[in-house]
């Protein structure tokens, strides 16, 4: 990329509609310009530009909704602080990257993918004209594998830093290292800007070599907090109490934990409104969670019609990532779905946990952005005092095998001494290296090194076990089928099972069901879906989520392209499901379980923990002797989800050393 030799423009910057040097030829409606000028951040524009111009690294704190994510990249671009190179803005969530880039493209009067674009896993909407690139933290990390100095970027903005996702945490170190190396080599400097609505400022500043902290004046009106009594009210009861008592057009934001819970709450709310008394104001109910496609998410941002009330039922995505106007009431369940990893048992669990105090405060704050508001906490004050102060960074509670694989691919082999802001425990690093070793991805000599297999695994944006399964499938000439299965496992469930039509859904699904497990059923569904060319009515009749199916098809295409680039022969095993299950056993032997002697439950082979078949599995009423599973979910019991029947010999074959103490099936 060509870089001008001259310094940044020194003339005082005036906010104007368009900047011809940036190729902005679009029209921006006055309404949007007015909205931009009304943002709390706007008066600080000149000062921010000046300071960032001077600094290598800065930390910027400002309330949610002040305009950090949408405005700062534009300010920097308009003042050419980026010196014509790309400004990367990372987001922990794909939804945020997509919706925000759409808004910013609109504010710049350009088409999305031109001057403003986004890049998320399996989707890249950028072009050579792109100067502001919103991307997930995972994508920037992936790019760094190919270019550790991040030469395409002159500014990297690490947004939502307080979320401390595993990828953001690793990026902190990778970006810091790129900045230092570029300095040593005399390559164009890399500016780092760390942004958040809330964070432990001293900790961040100390990590980034005493970087200065810029505080933005925000707007925050008082929020009245109500706790429920000891008897927990349901979120929906609380919602209708507010709705009956309060005038319309004061919208409600409700925090629940995940897609399934949210969709079911949305249905219940809609059902109740349909049968409600006539004098009740109409409700517009919008779900909001990461997996929701962007067009559905946009509904959340639409202004509420007069005389109506909008209810947004969201995951913690609405805590800080996306800003929604008009919120007057917050209903906080006090829980969040989180990944938890136990390095001793090697168990990786998805479970619902209590939020931290910091999260609860953020949620509360959402009710006071435009005027005074109220927050209904569905927990007692006593419970609140027992929440931890801050959310534990993901890197200290997750399985690190993906991250370790990526760090190794980045050429960082001394993982224990990597410059983490908060180090993961030695146990979890060792557990990750063990896992990768079991998969044949690393060898342990003096240092830990990637094997050729490990390098190939790192080329796929997939969790190591899935990556390994693809490589095994290549050897066994069934990439066509495994690509399909892996893609379907990478998206949200394609099965729709409404409570009210449960029997009907299960009956429709009967024709895809396989006694070999969920993976084979998914494959059957995909084949049938392709045979009808993704027909919408067919999806409805068969209770298949067409949207998730389309996403899976796109994911498959991307993975297919990577396979082609790596010159893998893409062959089909036709209907040989045995070979397919064998490949899965070879990738997932660490997620295997055997039926207990009394035939009641299963024992996981890795940790000897009691696990059960999830009721959603086709194997729910079956008792195969050995299964592998895709993930564990902890609710009332520890459930295995997405199962496949396997032969114990395959497990042993896949990893004789791993099973040396006890051969499965003996
Ligand atoms: O990052 P921060 O929370 O400081 O604010 P932001 O995401 O930049 O949002 C600033 C304002 O932009 C919000 O208050 C919304 O009014 C608007 N916005 C929007 O209209 N549509 C979006 N997709 C995102 C933001
Ligand atoms: Mg933001």
């Amino acid at each position: 990329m060509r870089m001008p030799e001259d310094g940044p423009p020194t003339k005082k910057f005036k906010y104007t509609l368009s900047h011809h040097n940036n190729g902005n030829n679009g029209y921006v409606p006055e309404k949007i310009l007015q909205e931009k000028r009304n943002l709390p951040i706007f008066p600080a524009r000149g000062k921010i530009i000046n300071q960032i111009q001077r600094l290598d690294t800065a930390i910027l704190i400002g309330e949610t909704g002040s305009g950090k994510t949408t405005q700062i990249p534009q300010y920097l671009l308009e003042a050419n602080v980026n010196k014509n190179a790309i400004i990367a803005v990372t987001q922990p969530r794909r939804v945020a990257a997509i919706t925000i880039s759409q808004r910013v493209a609109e504010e710049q009067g350009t088409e999305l993918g031109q001057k403003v674009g986004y890049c998320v896993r399996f989707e890249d909407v950028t072009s050579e004209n792109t100067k502001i690139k919103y991307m997930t933290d995972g994508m920037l990390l992936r790019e760094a594998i190919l270019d550790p100095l991040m030469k395409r970027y002159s500014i990297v903005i690490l947004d939502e830093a307080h979320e401390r996702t595993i990828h953001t945490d690793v990026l902190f170190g990778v970006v810091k290292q790129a900045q230092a190396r570029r300095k040593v080599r005399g390559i164009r400097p890399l500016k780092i800007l760390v942004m958040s609505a809330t964070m432990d400022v001293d900790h961040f500043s100390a990590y980034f070599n005493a970087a200065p902290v810029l505080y933005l004046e925000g707007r925050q009106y008082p929020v009245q907090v109500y706790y429920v009594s000891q008897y927990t009210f349901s979120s929906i009861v609380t919602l209708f109490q507010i709705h009956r008592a309060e005038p319309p057009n004061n919208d409600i934001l409700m925090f629940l934990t995940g897609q399934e819970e949210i969709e079911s709450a949305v249905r219940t709310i809609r059902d109740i409104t349909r049968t409600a008394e006539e004098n009740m104001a109409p409700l517009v109910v919008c779900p909001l969670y990461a997996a929701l496609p962007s067009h559905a998410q946009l509904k959340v941002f639409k202004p509420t019609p007069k005389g109506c009330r909008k209810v947004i039922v969201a995951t913690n995505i609405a805590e800080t990532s996306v800003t929604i106007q008009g919120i007057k009431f917050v209903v906080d369940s006090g829980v969040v779905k989180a990944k938890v990893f136990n390095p001793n048992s090697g168990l990786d669990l998805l479970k619902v946990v209590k939020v931290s105090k910091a999260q609860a405060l953020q949620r509360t704050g959402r009710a006071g952005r435009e005027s005074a508001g109220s927050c209904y906490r569905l927990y007692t004050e006593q419970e609140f005092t027992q929440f931890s102060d801050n959310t534990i960074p993901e890197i200290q509670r997750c399985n690190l095998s993906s991250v370790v694989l990526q760090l190794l691919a980045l050429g960082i082999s001394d993982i224990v001494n990597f410059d983490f802001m908060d180090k993961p425990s030695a146990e979890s690093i060792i557990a990750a290296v063990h896992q990768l070793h079991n998969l044949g991805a690393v060898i342990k000599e003096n240092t830990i090194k990637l094997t050729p297999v490990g390098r190939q695994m790192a080329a796929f944006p997939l969790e190591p076990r899935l990556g390994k399964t693809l490589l095994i499938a290549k050897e066994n000439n069934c990439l066509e089928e495994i690509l399909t299965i892996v893609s379907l496992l990478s998206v949200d469930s394609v099965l729709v099972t409404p409570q009210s039509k449960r029997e009907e859904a299960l009956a429709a699904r009967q024709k895809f069901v396989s006694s070999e497990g969920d993976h084979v059923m998914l494959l059957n569904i995909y084949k049938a879906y392709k045979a009808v060319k993704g027909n919408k009515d067919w999806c409805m009749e068969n209770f298949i989520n067409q949207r998730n199916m389309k996403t899976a098809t796109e994911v498959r295409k991307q993975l297919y392209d990577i396979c082609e680039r790596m010159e893998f022969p893409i062959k089909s095993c036709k209907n040989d499901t045995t070979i397919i299950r064998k490949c899965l056993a070879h990738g997932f032997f660490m997620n295997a379980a055997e039926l207990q002697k009394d035939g009641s439950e299963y024992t996981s082979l890795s940790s000897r923990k009691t696990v059960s078949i999830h009721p959603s599995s086709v194997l729910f009423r079956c008792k195969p002797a050995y299964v592998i599973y895709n993930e564990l979910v902890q609710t009332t019991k520890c459930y295995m989800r997405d199962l496949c029947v396997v032969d114990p010999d395959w497990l042993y074959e896949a990893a004789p050393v791993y099973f040396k103490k006890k051969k499965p099936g003996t």
Side-chain angles (χ1 to χ4, degrees), residues 437-440 468 585-586 589 648-664:
H437 189 250
N438 288 332
L439 290 170
K468 179 65 187 279
H586 275 246
F589 59 86
D649 290 343
W650 301 339
L651 296 170
Y652 184 72
E653 238 172 68
V657 181
Y658 179 79
F659 289 113
K660 69 175 177 293
K661 281 200 206 107
K662 187 180 182 301
K663 189 175 170 188

Side-chain angles (χ1 to χ4, degrees), residues 41-97:
I41 203 172
F42 185 69
R45 183 178 188 278
K47 207 166 147 199
I48 290 171
I49 293 172
N50 264 325
Q51 285 186 306
I52 297 176
Q53 192 89 264
R54 285 189 298 113
L55 296 166
D56 284 341
T57 307
I59 292 168
L60 189 127
I61 311 271
E63 297 280 10
T64 307
S66 48
K68 299 180 299 299
T69 311
T70 54
Q71 306 307 305
I72 290 195
Q74 298 185 72
Y75 293 172
L76 297 178
L77 180 73
E78 287 158 358
N80 199 23
V81 179
N82 60 315
K83 300 191 185 171
N84 298 334
I86 307 172
I87 304 171
V89 191
T90 66
Q91 295 293 319
R93 296 191 178 82
R94 116 192 220 113
V95 194

Side-chain angles (χ1 to χ4, degrees), residues 35 39 41 62-71 99-103 107 159-160 195 197 216 298 301 320-325 366 370:
E35 281 170 8
L39 285 171
I41 203 172
E63 297 280 10
T64 307
S66 48
K68 299 180 299 299
T69 311
T70 54
Q71 306 307 305
T99 57
I100 291 164
S101 61
Q102 279 164 341
R103 168 74 189 183
E107 290 185 11
D159 201 2
E160 303 290 333
M195 303 202 301
L216 268 179
L298 291 178
F301 302 102
T320 60
S321 286
V322 295
T323 314
I324 307 149
Q325 282 166 351
R366 303 314 302 257
E370 287 152 37

